[in-house]
Amino acid sequence: MAVNETERRAMARALELAAHGPRGVNPQVGAVILSPDGEILAEGWHHGAGTPHAEVDALSKLAPGAARGATAVVTLEPCNHTGRTGPCAVALIEAGVARVVYALDDPGAVSGGGAERLRDAGVSVDSGEQADAAHALIDGWLTAQRLGRPHITVKWAQSLDGRAAAEDGTSQWITGPVARSDVHRRRAEADAIVVGTGTVLADDPALTARDGDGLYPHQPVPVVIGSRPVPEDAAVHRHPHAPLFYDTRDLHAVVAALHARGIQRVFVEGGPTLASAFLASGLADRVLAYIAPVLLGGSKLALTDIGVPSIDAARRLVVDEWLPLGADLLAIAHPATPLEEGA
C-alpha cells in the first residue's frame, strides 16, 4: 500500500515532534496517530530515557479503543524489545492499530524487528517515508549504534587554492559573514566542539555557538586536545559549559571518552593539524569545507598529511550538497566508503 499525502504530512509533523526530545542514549522519535479518515487523533514524542516511547506517548492520550483501525506514523521503526519500557510494536497491536508508516529501520540487534512483528499480526506496514530527514535528525544515535562512537563532523575554511591562512598565519576572516553564521548554527546542533591547544593559544576562541549578538539556547561542550597548557584567563574557560581537556594524541581514546559521556554529535573545528589527524584516523562521518573566492598561496594548507601516499589511496568523498553562502561555497560530503565498526 503506497504512502498517501495525508501520511506524508503526518510524517513531517512527526519529525517536528521528534526534535522536541532530548539527544542522549535514546533516539529522538516522534509519532502521529491518524484516524481511518486521516484526522490527527494524537501526537507524541520520546521525552528521554526511561519515559514512554513516542508511539506509547501518543496512544496514552487516547481513550481505550480509540486507536482501533488507526494509522501510526512514526519516525523510527517501532521497537520490538522490553527495556525500561515495553515493546512499542506490541502496544500498537494491542491498541488495534491497522497500519504503521515509519521512516527508518531500527538498527539494533535487540530492539529491531518491530516491523516484522507488526506484519505477523496483520498490520499493514510501510517504511522509508522521509528517511533522509529522519536520518539527519538522529545521525548521532545511528552512528553510535553502528560504530559505538559519536557522529563526527570535520569542518574547515579554506581559500580557493586550499589554504587555511596567509603565510604569516593570519586567517580571520577567509570566509564572509554568511558562512560564519552558518558555522555557528551548525555548532549549535552539536553536542561537543573540538579544537587543539594550538587553536586555543593562537586565536583564543570562545567556542560558543552565537546567534547574532546572543547565544543559541543549546551550546556544545568545548573539548581541547593537546599537551600545551591553556591559560586560566582563556576565553574557553568562560564558556557556559566547563571545557574538557585531553592531553593525548590518541583520538580514538578521546572519542570513546566523549561517547561514554553521552555525547553523540562531535564538531571538529581545530586547525589543519587536528582536522588532518581526524581524517587520517578514519574519524570523519561528514566533512564541511567552506571555500572562499580568495587566493592566498604559500604553505598554510587547509589539510596536511592524512595518510594518502598515492592517488590510489585517496580518501574519496560523496558530495551531498553544494551550498552557496554569500560569496562563499560550502561543500557537504561524506566518505564514499562507509566506515566500518571498529574503524
Side-chain angles (χ1 to χ4, degrees), residues 201-220:
L201 295 175
D203 300 334
D204 193 26
L207 299 183
T208 52
R210 296 186 294 279
D211 184 10
D213 294 330
L215 297 180
Y216 279 98
H218 176 77
Q219 291 292 313

PDB file of all heavy atoms in Angstrom, residues 201-220:
ATOM      1  N   LEU A 201      45.529  28.596  21.768  1.00  0.00           N
ATOM      2  CA  LEU A 201      46.619  29.522  22.076  1.00  0.00           C
ATOM      3  C   LEU A 201      46.767  30.607  21.017  1.00  0.00           C
ATOM      4  O   LEU A 201      47.109  31.753  21.331  1.00  0.00           O
ATOM      5  CB  LEU A 201      47.925  28.744  22.214  1.00  0.00           C
ATOM      6  CG  LEU A 201      47.986  27.749  23.385  1.00  0.00           C
ATOM      7  CD1 LEU A 201      49.272  26.942  23.348  1.00  0.00           C
ATOM      8  CD2 LEU A 201      47.849  28.470  24.717  1.00  0.00           C
ATOM      9  N   ALA A 202      46.487  30.269  19.758  1.00  0.00           N
ATOM     10  CA  ALA A 202      46.673  31.242  18.676  1.00  0.00           C
ATOM     11  C   ALA A 202      45.501  32.210  18.556  1.00  0.00           C
ATOM     12  O   ALA A 202      45.697  33.414  18.355  1.00  0.00           O
ATOM     13  CB  ALA A 202      46.877  30.507  17.353  1.00  0.00           C
ATOM     14  N   ASP A 203      44.259  31.686  18.701  1.00  0.00           N
ATOM     15  CA  ASP A 203      43.076  32.505  18.418  1.00  0.00           C
ATOM     16  C   ASP A 203      42.253  32.853  19.644  1.00  0.00           C
ATOM     17  O   ASP A 203      41.381  33.726  19.571  1.00  0.00           O
ATOM     18  CB  ASP A 203      42.170  31.776  17.415  1.00  0.00           C
ATOM     19  CG  ASP A 203      42.861  31.505  16.089  1.00  0.00           C
ATOM     20  OD1 ASP A 203      43.798  32.262  15.760  1.00  0.00           O
ATOM     21  OD2 ASP A 203      42.470  30.547  15.394  1.00  0.00           O
ATOM     22  N   ASP A 204      42.458  32.164  20.769  1.00  0.00           N
ATOM     23  CA  ASP A 204      41.673  32.360  21.992  1.00  0.00           C
ATOM     24  C   ASP A 204      40.167  32.355  21.693  1.00  0.00           C
ATOM     25  O   ASP A 204      39.441  33.286  22.052  1.00  0.00           O
ATOM     26  CB  ASP A 204      42.058  33.670  22.680  1.00  0.00           C
ATOM     27  CG  ASP A 204      41.509  33.747  24.111  1.00  0.00           C
ATOM     28  OD1 ASP A 204      41.295  32.684  24.723  1.00  0.00           O
ATOM     29  OD2 ASP A 204      41.266  34.869  24.595  1.00  0.00           O
ATOM     30  N   PRO A 205      39.662  31.285  21.060  1.00  0.00           N
ATOM     31  CA  PRO A 205      38.239  31.241  20.704  1.00  0.00           C
ATOM     32  C   PRO A 205      37.354  30.970  21.914  1.00  0.00           C
ATOM     33  O   PRO A 205      37.751  30.271  22.853  1.00  0.00           O
ATOM     34  CB  PRO A 205      38.173  30.085  19.712  1.00  0.00           C
ATOM     35  CG  PRO A 205      39.252  29.158  20.182  1.00  0.00           C
ATOM     36  CD  PRO A 205      40.374  30.054  20.675  1.00  0.00           C
ATOM     37  N   ALA A 206      36.130  31.505  21.879  1.00  0.00           N
ATOM     38  CA  ALA A 206      35.167  31.239  22.945  1.00  0.00           C
ATOM     39  C   ALA A 206      34.535  29.859  22.788  1.00  0.00           C
ATOM     40  O   ALA A 206      34.051  29.267  23.754  1.00  0.00           O
ATOM     41  CB  ALA A 206      34.082  32.303  22.948  1.00  0.00           C
ATOM     42  N   LEU A 207      34.504  29.350  21.544  1.00  0.00           N
ATOM     43  CA  LEU A 207      33.918  28.048  21.211  1.00  0.00           C
ATOM     44  C   LEU A 207      32.433  27.975  21.560  1.00  0.00           C
ATOM     45  O   LEU A 207      31.905  26.901  21.884  1.00  0.00           O
ATOM     46  CB  LEU A 207      34.685  26.908  21.901  1.00  0.00           C
ATOM     47  CG  LEU A 207      36.159  26.781  21.511  1.00  0.00           C
ATOM     48  CD1 LEU A 207      36.790  25.574  22.198  1.00  0.00           C
ATOM     49  CD2 LEU A 207      36.326  26.681  20.001  1.00  0.00           C
ATOM     50  N   THR A 208      31.757  29.107  21.499  1.00  0.00           N
ATOM     51  CA  THR A 208      30.311  29.147  21.679  1.00  0.00           C
ATOM     52  C   THR A 208      29.623  29.136  20.321  1.00  0.00           C
ATOM     53  O   THR A 208      30.257  29.366  19.293  1.00  0.00           O
ATOM     54  CB  THR A 208      29.895  30.410  22.452  1.00  0.00           C
ATOM     55  OG1 THR A 208      30.479  31.549  21.810  1.00  0.00           O
ATOM     56  CG2 THR A 208      30.354  30.347  23.898  1.00  0.00           C
ATOM     57  N   ALA A 209      28.329  28.890  20.348  1.00  0.00           N
ATOM     58  CA  ALA A 209      27.500  28.974  19.144  1.00  0.00           C
ATOM     59  C   ALA A 209      26.691  30.253  19.254  1.00  0.00           C
ATOM     60  O   ALA A 209      25.775  30.350  20.074  1.00  0.00           O
ATOM     61  CB  ALA A 209      26.591  27.760  19.036  1.00  0.00           C
ATOM     62  N   ARG A 210      27.051  31.243  18.444  1.00  0.00           N
ATOM     63  CA  ARG A 210      26.450  32.569  18.582  1.00  0.00           C
ATOM     64  C   ARG A 210      25.367  32.791  17.527  1.00  0.00           C
ATOM     65  O   ARG A 210      25.538  32.455  16.358  1.00  0.00           O
ATOM     66  CB  ARG A 210      27.523  33.649  18.468  1.00  0.00           C
ATOM     67  CG  ARG A 210      28.547  33.587  19.593  1.00  0.00           C
ATOM     68  CD  ARG A 210      29.522  34.755  19.551  1.00  0.00           C
ATOM     69  NE  ARG A 210      30.370  34.733  18.373  1.00  0.00           N
ATOM     70  CZ  ARG A 210      31.466  33.975  18.252  1.00  0.00           C
ATOM     71  NH1 ARG A 210      31.819  33.150  19.218  1.00  0.00           N
ATOM     72  NH2 ARG A 210      32.199  34.037  17.152  1.00  0.00           N
ATOM     73  N   ASP A 211      24.275  33.391  17.971  1.00  0.00           N
ATOM     74  CA  ASP A 211      23.158  33.751  17.114  1.00  0.00           C
ATOM     75  C   ASP A 211      23.072  35.273  17.100  1.00  0.00           C
ATOM     76  O   ASP A 211      22.426  35.885  17.948  1.00  0.00           O
ATOM     77  CB  ASP A 211      21.861  33.139  17.640  1.00  0.00           C
ATOM     78  CG  ASP A 211      20.671  33.399  16.729  1.00  0.00           C
ATOM     79  OD1 ASP A 211      20.884  33.879  15.600  1.00  0.00           O
ATOM     80  OD2 ASP A 211      19.536  33.120  17.150  1.00  0.00           O
ATOM     81  N   GLY A 212      23.782  35.875  16.145  1.00  0.00           N
ATOM     82  CA  GLY A 212      23.876  37.341  16.138  1.00  0.00           C
ATOM     83  C   GLY A 212      24.712  37.795  17.320  1.00  0.00           C
ATOM     84  O   GLY A 212      25.849  37.351  17.516  1.00  0.00           O
ATOM     85  N   ASP A 213      24.125  38.661  18.156  1.00  0.00           N
ATOM     86  CA  ASP A 213      24.844  39.162  19.331  1.00  0.00           C
ATOM     87  C   ASP A 213      24.652  38.279  20.550  1.00  0.00           C
ATOM     88  O   ASP A 213      25.295  38.497  21.584  1.00  0.00           O
ATOM     89  CB  ASP A 213      24.367  40.591  19.665  1.00  0.00           C
ATOM     90  CG  ASP A 213      24.737  41.596  18.571  1.00  0.00           C
ATOM     91  OD1 ASP A 213      25.767  41.382  17.917  1.00  0.00           O
ATOM     92  OD2 ASP A 213      23.975  42.560  18.386  1.00  0.00           O
ATOM     93  N   GLY A 214      23.760  37.306  20.449  1.00  0.00           N
ATOM     94  CA  GLY A 214      23.495  36.419  21.584  1.00  0.00           C
ATOM     95  C   GLY A 214      23.984  35.016  21.332  1.00  0.00           C
ATOM     96  O   GLY A 214      24.703  34.737  20.362  1.00  0.00           O
ATOM     97  N   LEU A 215      23.596  34.121  22.221  1.00  0.00           N
ATOM     98  CA  LEU A 215      23.991  32.717  22.122  1.00  0.00           C
ATOM     99  C   LEU A 215      22.778  31.861  21.797  1.00  0.00           C
ATOM    100  O   LEU A 215      21.655  32.157  22.225  1.00  0.00           O
ATOM    101  CB  LEU A 215      24.606  32.235  23.440  1.00  0.00           C
ATOM    102  CG  LEU A 215      25.891  32.908  23.914  1.00  0.00           C
ATOM    103  CD1 LEU A 215      26.333  32.300  25.240  1.00  0.00           C
ATOM    104  CD2 LEU A 215      26.991  32.773  22.885  1.00  0.00           C
ATOM    105  N   TYR A 216      23.013  30.795  21.035  1.00  0.00           N
ATOM    106  CA  TYR A 216      21.960  29.812  20.824  1.00  0.00           C
ATOM    107  C   TYR A 216      21.618  29.149  22.165  1.00  0.00           C
ATOM    108  O   TYR A 216      22.492  29.016  23.044  1.00  0.00           O
ATOM    109  CB  TYR A 216      22.419  28.745  19.842  1.00  0.00           C
ATOM    110  CG  TYR A 216      22.309  29.144  18.384  1.00  0.00           C
ATOM    111  CD1 TYR A 216      23.408  29.623  17.686  1.00  0.00           C
ATOM    112  CD2 TYR A 216      21.093  29.024  17.711  1.00  0.00           C
ATOM    113  CE1 TYR A 216      23.308  29.983  16.335  1.00  0.00           C
ATOM    114  CE2 TYR A 216      20.980  29.370  16.361  1.00  0.00           C
ATOM    115  CZ  TYR A 216      22.084  29.859  15.689  1.00  0.00           C
ATOM    116  OH  TYR A 216      21.968  30.215  14.367  1.00  0.00           O
ATOM    117  N   PRO A 217      20.360  28.725  22.349  1.00  0.00           N
ATOM    118  CA  PRO A 217      19.989  28.071  23.612  1.00  0.00           C
ATOM    119  C   PRO A 217      20.821  26.829  23.905  1.00  0.00           C
ATOM    120  O   PRO A 217      21.163  26.561  25.054  1.00  0.00           O
ATOM    121  CB  PRO A 217      18.507  27.715  23.403  1.00  0.00           C
ATOM    122  CG  PRO A 217      18.021  28.668  22.364  1.00  0.00           C
ATOM    123  CD  PRO A 217      19.200  28.919  21.463  1.00  0.00           C
ATOM    124  N   HIS A 218      21.119  26.073  22.832  1.00  0.00           N
ATOM    125  CA  HIS A 218      21.938  24.871  23.025  1.00  0.00           C
ATOM    126  C   HIS A 218      23.384  25.192  22.686  1.00  0.00           C
ATOM    127  O   HIS A 218      23.681  25.701  21.599  1.00  0.00           O
ATOM    128  CB  HIS A 218      21.450  23.721  22.144  1.00  0.00           C
ATOM    129  CG  HIS A 218      22.326  22.502  22.232  1.00  0.00           C
ATOM    130  ND1 HIS A 218      22.299  21.640  23.296  1.00  0.00           N
ATOM    131  CD2 HIS A 218      23.279  22.019  21.384  1.00  0.00           C
ATOM    132  CE1 HIS A 218      23.176  20.674  23.110  1.00  0.00           C
ATOM    133  NE2 HIS A 218      23.790  20.886  21.955  1.00  0.00           N
ATOM    134  N   GLN A 219      24.284  24.906  23.607  1.00  0.00           N
ATOM    135  CA  GLN A 219      25.703  25.152  23.411  1.00  0.00           C
ATOM    136  C   GLN A 219      26.489  23.843  23.448  1.00  0.00           C
ATOM    137  O   GLN A 219      26.271  23.011  24.327  1.00  0.00           O
ATOM    138  CB  GLN A 219      26.234  26.094  24.495  1.00  0.00           C
ATOM    139  CG  GLN A 219      25.714  27.512  24.395  1.00  0.00           C
ATOM    140  CD  GLN A 219      26.240  28.230  23.163  1.00  0.00           C
ATOM    141  OE1 GLN A 219      27.428  28.193  22.861  1.00  0.00           O
ATOM    142  NE2 GLN A 219      25.334  28.874  22.436  1.00  0.00           N
ATOM    143  N   PRO A 220      27.399  23.634  22.491  1.00  0.00           N
ATOM    144  CA  PRO A 220      28.227  22.427  22.518  1.00  0.00           C
ATOM    145  C   PRO A 220      29.271  22.498  23.622  1.00  0.00           C
ATOM    146  O   PRO A 220      29.769  23.578  23.951  1.00  0.00           O
ATOM    147  CB  PRO A 220      28.892  22.437  21.139  1.00  0.00           C
ATOM    148  CG  PRO A 220      28.978  23.894  20.794  1.00  0.00           C
ATOM    149  CD  PRO A 220      27.749  24.533  21.377  1.00  0.00           C
TER     150      PRO A 220
END
